[in-house]
Amino acid sequence: MRKPRLIISKCLNSEKCRYNGQIYDDKVISLLRKYVDLETVCPEREIGLEVPRNPIRIEKHDDKYKLIEPSSNMDYTSQMTEFAEEFLNNIEDVDGFVLKSRSPSCGIKDVKIYPKSQKCSISKKGQGVFGAKVVEKYSNIPIEDEGRLKNYNIRDEFLTKIFTINNLKCENSILDFHKKNSLLLKSYNEDIYDELNSIVSKENVDEDDINLYKNKVYEILNNKRDKITKIRLIKDCFRKYEAYLNEEERDYFDDLLKLYEKEKMPFSSIMVALQICAIRFDDKDLSNQTFFNPYPIELISITDSGKGRNL
Ligand code: SF4
């Protein structure tokens, strides 16, 4: 069975390739190893830099960002840009990236920017040279850094997306994929979901339709899910069971939703309650929805602080 394919920075759990000869031990990457196929890359080693090496950084020269080694004033911008372009052009199949945060090479959003030849940084909002090329070329798939993946909600979204993309690639029929993922897709964007629905509802689905459908799945996953849509979807699902439940059960479910709205209850509790209904009423269409378990349950780390769990 195919697993999601990720490209990650090599210094995350794989090799002591940082400038100071260190490696990062990251819990999320350790957890992920069993469930995804990982390819690693260290752009700084790839352009010939040694371990250990002098630190490099991003400097702003007029309106250009440069990758500079301050101790020698060496400019590695062109080498890194060329490597990034060649590497990214030769990737055959990838579902997401996890890059090292704050790195002047791999960083995607929180890299320190320095003025030319000065000691203090002026901002922490830049991108590394390699990271910027990844974001530019692969805007349609999930790209995160290991720092952001420590947050439950960000990780939940990342995992949901890479496993949904993997499901899309594994499933032989877009109709089967659509049936199992309908609630999940709807939770991202109902208008695009309607477009997907009309593609699979056609009498004769040809190769162009399949390609269009797949592209639209990538498009829908680029949207952000919001709480209001999730609550509405859950209410729609629950409505068909209401007539078979007693008042106490209905009130209990309403209370759960109110607690979720006030961020006093995680979304997973609502999902469990709804899933119990699906099992009780033998509703296979609902219980098979990936909305409930978009990725392996073992990847829900118990070490989370719980901060922001109520997405
Ligand atoms: S952050 Fe990127 S370039 Fe730096 S050591 Fe890690 S993999 Fe190599």
Side-chain angles (χ1 to χ4, degrees):
M1 192 63 154
R2 186 189 189 278
K3 296 175 181 174
R5 293 193 178 142
L6 297 184
I7 292 179
I8 68 164
S9 295
K10 200 173 257 182
C11 60
L12 297 173
N13 301 48
S14 291
E15 200 174 293
K16 293 179 175 177
C17 55
R18 290 194 68 215
Y19 74 97
N20 56 4
Q22 298 290 310
I23 187 173
Y24 279 99
D25 182 17
D26 186 82
K27 283 185 184 145
V28 175
I29 301 292
S30 315
L31 252 173
L32 269 175
R33 269 188 193 284
K34 198 172 151 196
Y35 302 95
V36 303
D37 284 329
L38 294 178
E39 182 184 338
T40 61
V41 61
C42 175
E44 288 176 22
R45 294 286 288 128
E46 292 292 338
I47 63 166
L49 299 181
E50 301 290 336
V51 179
R53 56 187 174 273
N54 290 323
I56 53 178
R57 69 184 195 180
I58 299 288
E59 287 186 6
K60 195 171 184 199
H61 294 199
D62 300 322
D63 58 345
K64 291 204 166 62
Y65 293 96
K66 303 262 183 192
L67 187 61
I68 302 288
E69 182 183 273
S71 60
S72 63
N73 245 353
M74 275 287 291
D75 181 350
Y76 291 106
T77 319
S78 306
Q79 273 170 275
M80 185 60 84
T81 305
E82 276 165 33
F83 164 72
E85 283 170 356
E86 201 196 326
F87 178 82
L88 297 172
N89 283 339
N90 285 305
I91 293 171
E92 285 186 2
D93 193 12
V94 61
D95 304 321
F97 288 81
V98 182
L99 299 175
K100 178 71 195 74
S101 59
R102 300 192 296 272
S103 155
S105 303
C106 288
I108 52 170
K109 52 178 60 163
D110 57 357
V111 179
K112 282 185 184 172
I113 308 290
Y114 292 82
K116 190 177 176 181
S117 313
Q118 288 186 29
K119 280 192 175 162
C120 297
S121 64
I122 42 173
S123 137
K124 286 183 185 170
K125 294 202 172 146
Q127 294 177 311
V129 177
F130 180 78
K133 287 283 167 194
V134 172
V135 171
E136 184 185 307
K137 186 165 171 65
Y138 284 97
S139 58
N140 62 335
I141 59 172
I143 303 165
E144 282 297 352
D145 63 49
E146 93 298 344
R148 280 172 51 83
L149 288 183
K150 289 183 182 15
N151 175 286
Y152 175 84
N153 286 341
I154 294 172
R155 189 167 67 252
D156 181 57
E157 276 303 304
F158 180 81
L159 294 174
T160 298
K161 288 174 183 178
I162 60 165
F163 278 91
T164 304
I165 291 170
N166 188 54
N167 290 343
L168 180 68
K169 289 181 177 178
C170 290
E171 196 67 75
N172 287 329
S173 131
I174 55 167
L175 184 58
D176 289 344
F177 172 85
H178 191 72
K179 277 186 190 159
K180 287 182 211 156
N181 291 276
S182 59
L183 263 184
L184 181 80
L185 296 170
K186 222 186 236 189
S187 70
Y188 278 98
N189 183 303
E190 293 185 77
D191 292 335
I192 304 176
Y193 173 78
D194 288 342
E195 291 179 45
L196 290 168
N197 225 7
S198 60
I199 297 171
V200 291
S201 308
K202 283 173 81 170
E203 215 162 281
N204 293 309
V205 175
D206 61 22
E207 211 48 46
D208 287 344
D209 295 320
I210 293 172
N211 289 334
L212 178 63
Y213 181 91
K214 289 183 175 176
N215 288 336
K216 290 233 163 266
V217 171
Y218 282 93
E219 187 186 331
I220 209 169
L221 292 176
N222 255 331
N223 287 268
K224 277 208 161 105
R225 294 196 279 179
D226 65 67
K227 193 183 278 183
I228 296 168
T229 310
K230 282 177 165 182
I231 291 176
R232 197 175 59 251
L233 288 176
I234 291 286
K235 280 184 175 168
D236 285 350
C237 293
F238 188 68
R239 200 158 291 135
K240 59 182 167 179
Y241 306 126
E242 271 181 341
Y244 307 101
L245 300 175
N246 65 37
E247 198 179 339
E248 209 176 328
E249 288 168 324
R250 287 195 298 269
D251 289 347
Y252 184 73
F253 195 77
D254 277 347
D255 288 345
L256 282 184
L257 279 177
K258 279 178 197 147
L259 286 169
Y260 168 60
E261 261 178 288
K262 290 181 193 157
E263 306 206 336
K264 293 188 184 308
M265 174 75 69
F267 188 60
S268 54
S269 303
I270 315 285
M271 300 282 246
V272 170
L274 189 61
Q275 221 171 355
I276 289 171
C277 287
I279 293 167
R280 178 173 160 193
F281 297 106
D282 197 24
D283 187 346
K284 293 271 186 302
D285 280 350
L286 192 63
S287 56
N288 288 338
Q289 286 293 313
T290 57
F291 190 53
F292 297 116
N293 299 303
Y295 51 85
I297 200 154
E298 294 82 359
L299 288 175
I300 300 174
S301 166
I302 52 167
T303 57
D304 269 305
S305 64
K307 191 179 166 201
R309 270 172 178 264
N310 289 327
L311 181 76

